[in-house]
Amino acid sequence: MILDGKGLAKQNETILKEKVTNLKGKFGRVPNLKVVLVGDSPASMAYVTSKKKACNRVGMDAEVIMLDINTTEHALISLIEKMNVDDAIDGILIQLPLPKHMNETYVLNHVSPNKDVDGLHTINGGKLFTKQDGIVPATPLGVMMMLDHYQVNLEGKHAVVIGRSNLVGMPLSKLLLDKNATVTILHSRTKDMKKYTLDADILLVAIGKPKFVTKDMVKKGAVVVDVGINRVDGVLVGDVDFENVSEVASLITPVPGGVGPMTISALLFNVIKQYEVKYHD
Ligand SMILES: NC(=O)c1ccc[n+]([C@@H]2O[C@H](COP(=O)([O-])OP(=O)(O)OC[C@H]3O[C@@H](n4cnc5c(N)ncnc54)[C@H](OP(=O)(O)O)[C@@H]3O)[C@@H](O)[C@H]2O)c1
């Protein structure tokens, strides 16, 4: 059976729309997201456009600020600092990757943790790893929302995460651990990967290697979550060989239509969370 991220994200839009309407009634304005894109990579352009469109569909304000690829790090940080003190802005998203001449961590740490909607500020990362309420990166949050919706029981289960990035693998592993799964994290230096994947009750893959996970690596009945987005000959494919792995998995995310839409859905919840925090301070 399919873990239908697209369908669930659509359902979430009804909830989000209602939340936005209520917030507008209560505080007189709708949440406002600024998305900053440096450069004009077609993939990043597609991502920022779909984020803006999703905001608008639920009644939020969103603007994409496009900066030239040669923008200096200093100029980007000045813009971020201006947005940090603008009360009309609730969320600031810096689309990654940034150009090579910028230090991503340094830039992201200039976004106010109270306007960080990607959960990538060191303070929000620290909160996640010390069990404090903060902003969780949208992709792992979206994955957890999907597992929760499909009532995938994680307690005592063996969750195997392939990938250990700050954006996906690490926060996802912590969220699974917080749900009392027993978590194994695999990465590019792992030896004999199959030994671990074949034991996974839930296998979550975020590496960026097309169709890396094959049927022989998956236990019968496992839940498989494919975070990967790869473009092969103009076609989007995940990190999992969907066609063959779906023969053994009990639940599996398609690509596209799985984790991607849930990431956007979780982002919108994060924007609302930052808006609400502002009014509760
Ligand atoms: N669906 C969505 O909304 C969404 C959101 C974000 C990302 N993504 C996609 O998810 C994928 C991963 O993104 P990311 O940002 O986490 O990527 P990343 O920062 O490049 O990290 C990739 C991770 O995969 C590991 N890895 C690479 N090759 C491997 C291999 N052969 N075997 C085992 N592990 C391997 C790396 O290990 P090392 O640490 O050892 O180098 C690293 O930890 C990409 O396809 C990206 O486009 C999708």
Side-chain angles (χ1 to χ4, degrees):
M1 193 174 111
I2 295 291
L3 288 163
D4 178 14
K6 193 174 171 190
L8 180 54
K10 194 95 214 129
Q11 285 179 38
N12 282 348
E13 285 193 0
T14 311
I15 300 167
L16 286 157
K17 230 183 241 172
E18 207 176 293
K19 276 181 180 285
V20 170
T21 307
N22 287 343
L23 290 172
K24 178 152 194 228
K26 223 162 145 186
F27 302 112
R29 52 180 281 273
V30 299
N32 181 313
L33 174 68
K34 298 286 182 204
V35 180
V36 181
L37 173 62
V38 186
D40 58 359
S41 127
S44 291
M45 297 255 266
Y47 291 139
V48 298
T49 305
S50 54
K51 287 168 188 175
K52 178 182 156 46
K53 280 188 181 161
C55 283
N56 295 152
R57 279 199 303 274
V58 302
M60 290 187 197
D61 280 341
E63 184 193 359
V64 177
I65 301 172
M66 298 202 43
L67 301 178
D68 187 86
I69 185 90
N70 295 316
T71 302
T72 63
E73 189 179 83
H74 182 262
L76 174 58
I77 289 173
S78 299
L79 171 68
I80 292 172
E81 283 171 346
K82 267 194 208 124
M83 294 193 290
N84 281 343
V85 294
D86 184 340
D87 280 342
I89 298 172
D90 305 291
I92 301 169
L93 188 154
I94 310 297
Q95 183 65 37
L96 300 179
L98 286 171
K100 295 243 178 318
H101 64 275
M102 294 192 190
N103 176 330
E104 277 184 3
T105 307
Y106 183 71
V107 170
L108 293 173
N109 274 334
H110 279 83
V111 175
S112 161
N114 297 323
K115 294 195 179 184
D116 166 30
V117 285
D118 251 347
L120 295 177
H121 190 288
T122 300
I123 287 185
N124 281 317
K127 283 186 171 174
L128 174 61
F129 279 84
T130 50
K131 279 201 176 178
Q132 298 174 68
D133 188 31
I135 294 291
V136 173
T139 300
L141 181 61
V143 169
M144 296 308 286
M145 282 163 43
M146 184 157 57
L147 294 177
D148 186 53
H149 176 83
Y150 280 92
Q151 298 179 335
V152 175
N153 179 22
L154 296 167
E155 178 133 351
K157 295 291 165 63
H158 187 195
V160 174
V161 179
I162 318 184
R164 55 173 168 179
S165 68
N166 287 340
L167 191 64
V168 189
M170 288 311 293
L172 182 56
S173 302
K174 179 62 168 71
L175 293 168
L176 293 160
L177 193 60
D178 288 346
K179 290 282 181 192
N180 297 320
T182 300
V183 181
T184 301
I185 305 171
L186 314 183
H187 48 76
S188 68
R189 316 290 162 86
T190 301
K191 293 194 168 68
D192 195 4
M193 199 158 292
K194 229 169 127 174
K195 180 168 90 184
Y196 305 99
T197 60
L198 272 175
D199 189 55
D201 300 308
I202 300 130
L203 180 62
L204 307 103
V205 195
I207 58 178
K209 298 268 180 291
K211 299 190 182 186
F212 179 88
V213 171
T214 45
K215 186 178 170 183
D216 57 313
M217 295 169 75
V218 181
K219 181 165 84 174
K220 194 164 174 30
V223 174
V224 178
V225 175
D226 187 355
V227 179
I229 301 178
N230 311 286
R231 207 170 283 272
V232 179
D233 301 329
V235 177
L236 285 189
V237 291
D239 290 345
V240 174
D241 176 7
F242 177 84
E243 210 176 299
N244 294 307
V245 171
S246 54
E247 288 171 8
V248 283
S250 59
L251 287 169
I252 183 167
T253 54
V255 176
V259 175
M262 288 308 296
T263 294
I264 295 188
S265 194
L267 166 71
L268 302 193
F269 280 107
N270 278 348
V271 177
I272 287 188
K273 188 168 179 179
Q274 292 292 35
Y275 175 110
E276 286 176 327
V277 165
K278 185 186 280 179
Y279 287 98
H280 283 120
D281 274 351

Short mmCIF file of all heavy atoms in Angstrom, two decimals, residues 4 8 16 23 42 46 48 56 63 65 77 94-95 108 110 117 149 161 165 170-171 179 205 215 229 261:
data_model
loop_
_atom_site.label_atom_id
_atom_site.label_comp_id
_atom_site.label_asym_id
_atom_site.label_seq_id
_atom_site.Cartn_x
_atom_site.Cartn_y
_atom_site.Cartn_z
N ASP A 4 0.43 7.85 0.97
CA ASP A 4 0.04 8.89 0.01
C ASP A 4 0.27 10.29 0.58
O ASP A 4 -0.64 10.93 1.10
CB ASP A 4 -1.45 8.66 -0.35
CG ASP A 4 -1.97 9.70 -1.31
OD1 ASP A 4 -1.15 10.44 -1.92
OD2 ASP A 4 -3.21 9.80 -1.45
N LEU A 8 -2.43 13.29 1.71
CA LEU A 8 -2.43 13.77 3.09
C LEU A 8 -2.14 15.28 3.14
O LEU A 8 -2.77 16.02 3.91
CB LEU A 8 -1.40 12.98 3.91
CG LEU A 8 -1.27 13.35 5.38
CD1 LEU A 8 -2.62 13.30 6.10
CD2 LEU A 8 -0.26 12.43 6.07
N LEU A 16 -4.99 23.76 7.59
CA LEU A 16 -4.14 24.96 7.57
C LEU A 16 -4.96 26.20 7.20
O LEU A 16 -4.82 27.26 7.81
CB LEU A 16 -2.99 24.77 6.57
CG LEU A 16 -1.88 23.83 7.03
CD1 LEU A 16 -1.11 23.25 5.85
CD2 LEU A 16 -0.90 24.56 7.96
N LEU A 23 -6.53 32.78 12.70
CA LEU A 23 -5.47 33.71 13.13
C LEU A 23 -5.75 35.11 12.61
O LEU A 23 -5.56 36.10 13.31
CB LEU A 23 -4.10 33.22 12.63
CG LEU A 23 -3.57 31.96 13.33
CD1 LEU A 23 -2.31 31.45 12.65
CD2 LEU A 23 -3.30 32.22 14.81
N PRO A 42 17.27 25.70 -11.76
CA PRO A 42 15.89 25.32 -12.08
C PRO A 42 15.23 24.49 -10.97
O PRO A 42 14.06 24.69 -10.66
CB PRO A 42 16.03 24.51 -13.36
CG PRO A 42 17.36 24.88 -13.94
CD PRO A 42 18.24 25.30 -12.80
N ALA A 46 11.92 25.66 -8.86
CA ALA A 46 10.70 24.84 -8.79
C ALA A 46 10.28 24.67 -7.33
O ALA A 46 9.09 24.80 -6.99
CB ALA A 46 10.93 23.48 -9.44
N VAL A 48 10.97 26.65 -4.67
CA VAL A 48 10.47 27.88 -4.02
C VAL A 48 9.10 28.26 -4.57
O VAL A 48 8.24 28.74 -3.84
CB VAL A 48 11.47 29.07 -4.11
CG1 VAL A 48 12.77 28.76 -3.41
CG2 VAL A 48 11.72 29.53 -5.53
N ASN A 56 0.01 30.37 -0.50
CA ASN A 56 -1.12 31.14 -1.03
C ASN A 56 -2.42 30.33 -1.03
O ASN A 56 -3.49 30.86 -0.75
CB ASN A 56 -0.81 31.67 -2.43
CG ASN A 56 0.33 32.69 -2.43
OD1 ASN A 56 1.05 32.85 -3.40
ND2 ASN A 56 0.54 33.39 -1.31
N GLU A 63 6.39 35.55 -0.26
CA GLU A 63 7.11 36.23 -1.34
C GLU A 63 8.44 35.51 -1.55
O GLU A 63 9.11 35.13 -0.59
CB GLU A 63 7.38 37.69 -0.95
CG GLU A 63 8.04 38.48 -2.07
CD GLU A 63 8.61 39.83 -1.62
OE1 GLU A 63 8.49 40.17 -0.44
OE2 GLU A 63 9.19 40.51 -2.46
N ILE A 65 12.11 36.09 -2.77
CA ILE A 65 13.07 37.15 -3.05
C ILE A 65 14.23 36.51 -3.80
O ILE A 65 14.92 35.63 -3.27
CB ILE A 65 13.57 37.80 -1.74
CG1 ILE A 65 12.37 38.38 -0.98
CG2 ILE A 65 14.63 38.87 -2.03
CD1 ILE A 65 12.71 38.87 0.42
N ILE A 77 23.27 38.52 4.42
CA ILE A 77 23.07 38.62 5.87
C ILE A 77 22.41 39.96 6.23
O ILE A 77 21.53 40.01 7.10
CB ILE A 77 24.41 38.39 6.61
CG1 ILE A 77 24.77 36.91 6.50
CG2 ILE A 77 24.32 38.81 8.08
CD1 ILE A 77 26.13 36.53 7.02
N ILE A 94 15.72 30.32 3.80
CA ILE A 94 16.83 30.49 2.85
C ILE A 94 16.93 29.20 2.07
O ILE A 94 17.26 28.14 2.63
CB ILE A 94 18.17 30.77 3.59
CG1 ILE A 94 18.01 31.90 4.64
CG2 ILE A 94 19.28 31.08 2.60
CD1 ILE A 94 17.63 33.25 4.10
N GLN A 95 16.61 29.27 0.79
CA GLN A 95 16.60 28.04 -0.02
C GLN A 95 18.04 27.51 -0.20
O GLN A 95 18.94 28.26 -0.57
CB GLN A 95 15.97 28.33 -1.39
CG GLN A 95 15.85 27.12 -2.30
CD GLN A 95 14.90 26.05 -1.75
OE1 GLN A 95 13.87 26.34 -1.14
NE2 GLN A 95 15.24 24.78 -1.95
N LEU A 108 22.72 30.64 7.85
CA LEU A 108 21.48 30.16 8.49
C LEU A 108 21.40 30.60 9.95
O LEU A 108 20.32 30.85 10.48
CB LEU A 108 21.36 28.64 8.39
CG LEU A 108 21.18 28.10 6.96
CD1 LEU A 108 21.25 26.59 6.94
CD2 LEU A 108 19.86 28.57 6.35
N HIS A 110 22.17 33.35 11.05
CA HIS A 110 21.78 34.76 11.14
C HIS A 110 20.26 34.93 11.06
O HIS A 110 19.74 36.00 11.36
CB HIS A 110 22.47 35.60 10.05
CG HIS A 110 23.87 35.96 10.45
ND1 HIS A 110 24.93 35.11 10.28
CD2 HIS A 110 24.36 37.07 11.07
CE1 HIS A 110 26.03 35.68 10.75
NE2 HIS A 110 25.71 36.86 11.23
N VAL A 117 12.06 28.77 9.81
CA VAL A 117 10.97 27.81 9.58
C VAL A 117 11.50 26.48 9.04
O VAL A 117 10.73 25.56 8.78
CB VAL A 117 9.89 28.38 8.63
CG1 VAL A 117 9.03 29.40 9.36
CG2 VAL A 117 10.50 28.98 7.38
N HIS A 149 -0.12 9.56 10.69
CA HIS A 149 -1.42 9.46 10.02
C HIS A 149 -1.75 8.01 9.65
O HIS A 149 -2.88 7.56 9.77
CB HIS A 149 -1.42 10.34 8.77
CG HIS A 149 -2.67 10.22 7.96
ND1 HIS A 149 -3.82 10.93 8.27
CD2 HIS A 149 -2.98 9.45 6.89
CE1 HIS A 149 -4.76 10.60 7.41
NE2 HIS A 149 -4.29 9.71 6.56
N VAL A 161 17.77 4.29 9.29
CA VAL A 161 17.81 5.51 8.49
C VAL A 161 19.09 5.48 7.67
O VAL A 161 20.18 5.31 8.22
CB VAL A 161 17.82 6.76 9.41
CG1 VAL A 161 17.89 8.04 8.59
CG2 VAL A 161 16.60 6.77 10.33
N SER A 165 22.42 13.58 7.16
CA SER A 165 22.56 15.03 6.97
C SER A 165 21.85 15.78 8.08
O SER A 165 20.94 15.26 8.74
CB SER A 165 21.98 15.44 5.62
OG SER A 165 20.58 15.28 5.63
N MET A 170 19.79 13.12 10.32
CA MET A 170 19.99 13.26 11.77
C MET A 170 18.71 13.64 12.51
O MET A 170 18.33 12.99 13.49
CB MET A 170 21.12 14.25 12.08
CG MET A 170 22.50 13.71 11.76
SD MET A 170 22.82 12.06 12.41
CE MET A 170 22.81 12.37 14.14
N PRO A 171 18.00 14.73 12.08
CA PRO A 171 16.76 15.05 12.81
C PRO A 171 15.71 13.94 12.73
O PRO A 171 15.01 13.66 13.70
CB PRO A 171 16.26 16.34 12.14
CG PRO A 171 17.06 16.54 10.91
CD PRO A 171 18.32 15.76 11.07
N LYS A 179 10.14 8.56 19.51
CA LYS A 179 8.92 7.74 19.45
C LYS A 179 9.23 6.31 19.90
O LYS A 179 8.48 5.37 19.63
CB LYS A 179 8.35 7.71 18.03
CG LYS A 179 7.77 9.03 17.57
CD LYS A 179 6.39 9.23 18.18
CE LYS A 179 5.79 10.54 17.72
NZ LYS A 179 4.60 10.90 18.48
N VAL A 205 15.07 6.35 3.76
CA VAL A 205 16.25 6.54 2.91
C VAL A 205 16.35 7.99 2.44
O VAL A 205 15.42 8.52 1.83
CB VAL A 205 16.17 5.60 1.68
CG1 VAL A 205 17.53 5.53 1.00
CG2 VAL A 205 15.70 4.21 2.07
N LYS A 215 15.14 -4.45 -3.94
CA LYS A 215 14.23 -5.40 -3.29
C LYS A 215 14.95 -6.36 -2.33
O LYS A 215 14.45 -6.67 -1.24
CB LYS A 215 13.51 -6.19 -4.40
CG LYS A 215 12.43 -7.12 -3.94
CD LYS A 215 11.79 -7.78 -5.16
CE LYS A 215 10.86 -8.90 -4.76
NZ LYS A 215 10.29 -9.58 -5.95
N ILE A 229 15.14 12.64 -3.89
CA ILE A 229 14.60 13.22 -5.13
C ILE A 229 15.77 13.30 -6.10
O ILE A 229 16.74 14.03 -5.86
CB ILE A 229 14.04 14.64 -4.92
CG1 ILE A 229 12.91 14.64 -3.88
CG2 ILE A 229 13.53 15.22 -6.24
CD1 ILE A 229 12.36 16.03 -3.59
N PRO A 261 5.45 16.43 -0.96
CA PRO A 261 4.30 17.26 -0.55
C PRO A 261 4.18 17.40 0.97
O PRO A 261 3.75 18.43 1.48
CB PRO A 261 3.08 16.50 -1.10
CG PRO A 261 3.61 15.55 -2.11
CD PRO A 261 5.05 15.28 -1.80
#
